[in-house]
Amino acid sequence: MKKHLIAAAFAGAFLTLAGCADESTPPSAQAQFLQPIDVANVLVKPVQSWHTYTTRLESPQEVALMPRVSGVIEAITFNEGDLVKKGDVLFKLDDRPFAAVVASLKAQVNSAQAALEQAKSEAKRAERLTERKAISTEQAESRTSVLRQREAQLAALQAQLTSAKLDLEFTAIVSPIDGVISRANITKGNNIIAGQSVLTSIVSNEKMYAYFDVDERTWNSDFSNVTAQSRQPVVMQKVGERGFAYKGYINFIDNQINSSTGTLRVRAVFDEDNSHLRAGSFARIKLAANSVTEQIIVPDRAIGTDLKNRFVLTVGENNVLQYKLVTVGERYGSLRAVTSGLSEGDVIAVNGPARVGPGMPVAPNKVTIDSSDVAFTLANDDSSLVAKQ
């Protein structure tokens, strides 16, 4: 009996303590939990549409250096990979055989000149004797003919001498352009053949060309008024780089559309700050449309995908998230243009639907969308930020 009374007493004490605990629990612990998320006002920026093309850089001038005369290489006078100037001597051939030919022809020219002087003297004497009827007409004409022959012989020898002097000059092989020289393909002591042996190659580095093809629809919609004289600006990115650091412009537009591909061949030139550009390099070209329009800008991560639809979560009344269908435009770095679905002043969930969904009340944390390192038009003077992606 005592055991039952003790158990009943313990049970009553426990119920009393439990009731006191429920009464002391604060109401806030029983309220609904609100997910904290970052929200921000959408940006409105003037933007241009960008078109990206891949290309390989080409040098305006490339020379496969070949000799004009055959001979034996006596000396190589350049350092491989160096910058060379037009007229710099690169190879020297053994010039002794050519000098001997020049000396021989000079002697023959001197002999021909002496023979010509004698022929002139005899022709003048023949004229005087003919006037006095001292010689026949046939003899006078013969002396005149000899004079003409001596003149022709001298002219032929002089032409041969000029050619021999050129050959002697060509034994010093010079650079025909300014540029960067490659390695020597044929070394000292080897015999080379005129017009066949490729000694080295030289690539001009004053500027670089980039050819790319623009489809006909894009050209007609965005660049129909562009000409080579317009110097339409472009920016370029090399492989392994993040920004589009090189500025150039269009300086050639082909005269017809390629009927097979429906594209127009265009050339951009980069003639400033191109010391690090090399012919053959793979590159990406960005070309901005001429028209500038104001569009809504949001972080790309704020845009979700629902089957075929793109949507953004906006903050509505009572901090409840709302589902809004959007149409997206160009990407600018980590930001994206929205062409429809949002309005200026809308507040969005900047991190998208990662942890939240439509109809969900949230605890908003107001932040600002950072666009300081992104250029939306080519008007930005900092080329390292232009079209950064």
Side-chain angles (χ1 to χ4, degrees):
M1 186 70 176
K2 290 181 179 180
K3 292 182 179 179
H4 289 296
L5 290 173
I6 293 171
F10 273 112
F14 176 78
L15 291 174
T16 303
L17 291 173
C20 292
D22 289 341
E23 290 176 1
S24 63
T25 302
S28 58
Q30 303 176 10
Q32 181 182 4
F33 173 74
L34 299 180
Q35 176 69 42
I37 64 167
D38 292 337
V39 300
N41 289 90
V42 298
L43 302 178
V44 179
K45 296 284 186 179
V47 299
Q48 289 174 296
S49 296
W50 295 90
H51 304 279
T52 305
Y53 303 95
T54 57
T55 182
R56 286 197 179 274
L57 298 181
E58 297 182 20
S59 173
Q61 290 182 297
E62 298 181 13
V63 175
L65 191 64
M66 292 185 287
R68 297 189 181 187
V69 294
S70 300
V72 177
I73 297 177
E74 189 174 62
I76 298 174
T77 59
F78 66 92
N79 294 321
E80 296 176 327
D82 273 0
L83 289 172
V84 295
K85 296 292 185 181
K86 181 179 180 180
D88 287 352
V89 177
L90 306 177
F91 295 85
K92 288 183 178 180
L93 306 184
D94 184 0
D95 63 356
R96 291 174 296 176
F98 301 93
V101 172
V102 170
S104 174
L105 285 170
K106 283 183 177 179
Q108 294 179 51
V109 167
N110 291 336
S111 176
Q113 286 176 336
L116 177 60
E117 293 300 326
Q118 181 181 358
K120 287 180 178 179
S121 177
E122 290 180 357
K124 290 181 179 179
R125 188 180 303 112
E127 289 179 4
R128 293 195 300 269
L129 294 174
T130 301
E131 292 174 356
R132 293 185 305 204
K133 307 293 186 180
I135 62 172
S136 64
T137 304
E138 290 80 4
Q139 289 178 317
E141 290 177 351
S142 176
R143 294 184 182 184
T144 303
S145 176
V146 170
L147 173 61
R148 299 292 178 263
Q149 292 175 22
R150 296 291 183 265
E151 290 175 341
Q153 290 173 359
L154 178 60
L157 288 171
Q158 287 175 332
Q160 292 178 38
L161 178 58
T162 300
S163 178
K165 287 181 177 179
L166 285 174
D167 288 345
L168 179 59
E169 181 182 337
F170 293 153
T171 59
I173 302 172
V174 302
S175 174
I177 62 172
D178 295 345
V180 181
I181 194 166
S182 182
R183 67 182 183 89
N185 297 327
I186 304 176
T187 55
K188 178 181 176 180
N190 286 288
N191 189 62
I192 57 177
I193 302 173
Q196 295 185 25
S197 303
V198 179
L199 302 176
T200 186
S201 62
I202 305 171
V203 175
S204 172
N205 66 336
E206 292 181 358
K207 60 180 70 173
M208 284 293 166
Y209 287 159
Y211 288 90
F212 55 97
D213 297 320
V214 182
D215 67 274
E216 184 178 3
R217 182 185 298 276
T218 298
W219 186 265
N220 291 338
S221 62
D222 291 341
F223 308 105
S224 58
N225 296 326
V226 173
T227 65
Q229 289 71 35
S230 305
R231 296 169 68 96
Q232 182 77 9
V234 301
V235 291
M236 182 184 68
Q237 176 193 60
K238 294 194 302 181
V239 172
E241 295 181 340
R242 298 186 63 185
F244 286 72
Y246 299 93
K247 289 183 177 181
Y249 57 90
I250 291 175
N251 74 334
F252 166 78
I253 302 169
D254 210 348
N255 58 4
Q256 60 182 342
I257 301 289
N258 187 324
S259 58
S260 301
T261 61
T263 58
L264 181 66
R265 175 56 61 96
V266 176
R267 182 180 72 199
V269 60
F270 299 87
D271 54 10
E272 295 180 2
D273 190 25
N274 61 356
S275 58
H276 301 292
L277 300 182
R278 293 183 181 272
S281 297
F282 183 84
R284 297 172 67 205
I285 299 288
K286 275 191 173 291
L287 180 62
N290 286 331
S291 57
V292 178
T293 58
E294 285 196 345
Q295 292 185 6
I296 301 294
I297 302 296
V298 301
D300 193 50
R301 66 179 183 273
I303 302 173
T305 302
D306 181 9
L307 296 178
K308 295 182 179 181
N309 300 320
R310 298 286 190 94
F311 68 93
V312 171
L313 296 178
T314 61
V315 181
E317 293 183 4
N318 300 321
N319 295 328
V320 176
L321 295 180
Q322 297 179 350
Y323 177 97
K324 281 197 175 183
L325 288 174
V326 295
T327 303
V328 299
E330 299 285 335
R331 181 175 175 176
Y332 302 92
S334 62
L335 306 180
R336 175 81 71 171
V338 173
T339 58
S340 66
L342 294 177
S343 303
E344 184 175 0
D346 282 346
V347 179
I348 64 169
V350 296
N351 294 315
R355 295 180 298 169
V356 292
M360 180 177 177
V362 294
N365 175 39
K366 199 65 176 289
V367 297
T368 302
I369 299 174
D370 183 13
S371 62
S372 59
D373 65 341
V374 179
F376 300 98
T377 68
L378 275 178
N380 193 317
D381 291 332
D382 188 348
S383 60
S384 64
L385 303 180
V386 173
K388 191 172 181 180
Q389 282 193 3

